[in-house]
Each structure stands twice: as structure tokens, then as C-alpha cells.
Amino acid sequence: MESNYILPVEKEETKRLAKAWFFLGVVSLLLSGFFSILLVVSRTPAIQSLIPFIDFFHTALVVHVDLSVLIWFTSFASILWTLIARNVNKLDWLAFYLSVSGTFLIVLTPFIMDGHPLMNNYIPILQTPLFYFALSLYTVGLLIRIVRTLFSSMPFNASSPTTALTSGVWLGALAALLAILFFLYTLFKVPDDLPAVAWFEVLFWGGGHILQFTHMLLVFVVWIVLLQQIKTRLIFTPAILFVCLLISFIPVLYSGVIYWQYDVASSEFHNQFTQLMRFGSLTTLPLGLIIFINLFKTLPAEGPLLPLKLALWCSAALFASGGVLGFMIEGVNVVIPAHYHGSIVGITLAFMGFSFYLLPVFDYPLKDRTLKLAKIQPIVYAVGQFMHISGLAWSGGYGVKRKTAGAAQGLDSLPEIAGMALMGMGGLIAIIGGILFVVIVYLAVKQKKG
């Protein structure tokens, strides 16, 4: 008998809360797009000299990363965590409102005080009390959502397709909880005499790596749901899926060993997590291979199913590209952002495709011009991002440094200029793709209200 892998939305209150997290994620993506316009223009040859506020680059980069990675990803994770919970209560809504408040303050901070940005990895920082408060507020809301998920989720049954999927969402929540707990542990272990950027780098280094496994577990769940929705005859059993998800979770457990054995400020600690990310991600290969095989078993799709299929294929291609680029990193150059943009955008496209599935579930069906836009949006976004990461990877091969803008990039040769120009063109196309996604959501909601 063929298995049916779905995450059912059975209760109206569950749907309302999941929808609320969905709109928080979409708004954060919209706002990150605004800041990304400043980023792309400030690094594009011939245009960058026209920007009168080039010093705003790093502040914009901080807010862009926090919105497009931390808040967009965890808001979407919160949709999935809400869907697998048995019930919704006031604590769940408190978690949401705290996170909304934190997001609002993060966006507001750069416009009311000097941000003093720090470009540390994973969660870059603006050194202001308001930003610290905003980030803490968001984290508390997220923590409540995670704990509620872990203790109120559906019971596991490895022979059930739905609960096999649920196990992936639950393991993603557990990984996120461990990441937050390790953030708190590190907070009391970081030496006080470190420079500010090094202090925050150490603070977020271990937990930031762990959080990536949350994203990977959840994107696998989303890919499987999308495969199911486009009528793919899946070739694995719920038990196989359950085992593969457990194997993918193993690196999260090993992270505890790293914390146990090494001082958080040591080079060994830093290197161990680098290697964990590089080689620990290989534990996802069994499930990744299964999904890859199933991709080639997909049937022709049309109508509302076509955007799901396009997003699925584009997502998998970008995610794989990011993984390959990760093994090509040598030195501190723009190959690094090429790697993580590939992986991050692969996940973002999966979540966008899942959004096209969720909108009808939330009573916002895709039809008429909204459906037409949804059929081209994944292609526009993916093409732009492929150009973006190709330009970065090419320029990185010539030694162009990361996290720089304007003349600081040192673009002295034609290949360097060409690579960064390709990056800029691709980035602008990707921004258009991101705007299209927000427009699709807006039109779907407007059509329903109309």
C-alpha cells in the first residue's frame, strides 16, 4: 500500500497560529529584501560610487542576515512545529507575540541609533541595548514555541507516514533547543577580555552550527511533502524515513562532545565545529539520495502543482550547489558567501514552494494571475541566485574578500570586476524573485478577501 506523507491541519486554532507565523516569516523576508537592495548596490561596480551612505553597508548586512536567515527560517520552522502539536493554548500565542515584538525592534534599531555593527558569523550583531533586547525577546518567544512542541507533539509511530514526518519536525525542534541552550552555556564561558567581534563569534559559533541541522531536517520534511503533493510515487517506507532522519540527527549529538572536550574560545573548538559542518552533513546523504532518486520519478505537473514542482527542483539544485561549494572554500573570500547563499537559498526556495502548498490550506487558493506568477517565481529567484553565487565563487577564486563593499573590495582586474558584476546582476534578479513571492502572497490574500 502506498504511503501518504502529509502534515494534517485538523484544528482551526492550529491553522490560525500557523498562519500567523507564516505571515511573520513573509514580512521578515520582505524587509530583508529591502536591506538586500542596499547590499547588492553597494558592491556592484559603477553603481557603488553613487551610494551616499556606503557606511550603512554593514548595518544593512546585519539586519538583512538576521531577517532572511534567523527570523525567516525560524518563523517557518514555527509553522511546522505548530502543525505537529496536539493543541494550541495561550503560551503558544505568547510565544508568537514575543517574537513579533522582537522582529519589529530589530528592524527599528538601525533607524533610531548608531548600530555599531559586528559581522560575526550566524547571528551578526548591532551593539546597542535595544538590539540586544530585541534579539532576546525574539529568542524567548522561539524558546517557548520549541518547548511547547517537544512536550505536546503527536506520539511517534515509525510505521505511520505522518508520524515519520513528525519525527523530523520534532528532531528539528530538539536541535534548535540544544542550540539555544549552548548559546546560554557559552554566554557564561566566553572570556571577558576578547574583542567584541571575537566575543560574539565565539558566542554563536557552536550553537549556530547546530541550528543548521535544524534547517536541514526541516527542509527534508518539506521536500517530502512537496514530492507527495505533486503525485510522486515515493519509493521508501515510513520506517526507512524515520531511520534516515535519526542518522541525520547524529551530528547534533556529537556537538555536545565538542562542548565537553574543548574550551569554547580555543582554536580546537572552532575547528571541530567547522569539521562537524563539513563532514557531519554527510549523515544526510542517505535521505538526500532517496529524495534525489524520487525527484526523477516526478510526473509532469500543471495548474497549482507546477509551482510546487518548480520550487522543489530549484531548491534541490541550489542546496546541492551550496554543498559542493562548501568543499571548495580556501581562505577568507567570497567563496564562503557563495557556499552559504546556495544552501540558504535552497532552503528558502523549499519554504517558498511549501508556502504555495500552505496558502490554499490557509484558505488563500492560487488562481488566475496569482497562479501565473507562482509558475515563474521559482525560476526567476533561482536563476538570479545561481548568477549571484556563480559571480561570488568566480571572484573568490581571484581572492576578493568577503564582508567588504565599495573600494575595500579591491577589484583590480577584469575577471574580478566581471565576477562581482555577475553577482550584482544575479542579486538584483533574485530580489525581483523575492518580491514576486511577497506579491503572490499579497494577491492570494487579497483575492480571498475580495
Side-chain angles (χ1 to χ4, degrees), residues 229-264:
Q229 291 302 310
I230 60 176
K231 314 298 183 185
T232 307
R233 188 178 178 84
L234 301 175
I235 61 170
F236 54 88
T237 65
I240 290 175
L241 173 59
F242 181 74
V243 171
C244 287
L245 288 167
L246 285 177
I247 293 172
S248 300
F249 186 76
I250 290 173
V252 177
L253 298 177
Y254 182 72
S255 65
V257 177
I258 298 175
Y259 270 95
W260 178 265
Q261 290 188 333
Y262 301 101
D263 182 270
V264 296

Side-chain angles (χ1 to χ4, degrees), residues 6-7 225-226 229 308 352-361:
I6 59 172
L7 292 172
V225 173
L226 291 178
Q229 291 302 310
L308 276 61
M352 286 176 171
F354 196 67
S355 298
F356 297 149
Y357 159 71
L358 283 175
L359 282 168
V361 173

Side-chain angles (χ1 to χ4, degrees), residues 1-6 159-162 224 227-238 294 297 299:
M1 184 175 67
E2 187 174 355
S3 298
N4 189 23
Y5 296 90
I6 59 172
S159 64
S160 163
T162 296
I224 291 166
L227 281 168
Q228 181 75 74
Q229 291 302 310
I230 60 176
K231 314 298 183 185
T232 307
R233 188 178 178 84
L234 301 175
I235 61 170
F236 54 88
T237 65
N294 277 277
K297 291 171 58 64
L299 300 173

Side-chain angles (χ1 to χ4, degrees), residues 59 63 104-115 126 128 130-132 134:
T59 298
V63 180
F104 172 76
L105 292 176
I106 286 172
V107 174
L108 185 64
T109 300
F111 300 103
I112 62 175
M113 59 182 66
D114 191 344
L126 300 180
T128 66
L130 181 59
F131 185 87
Y132 297 151

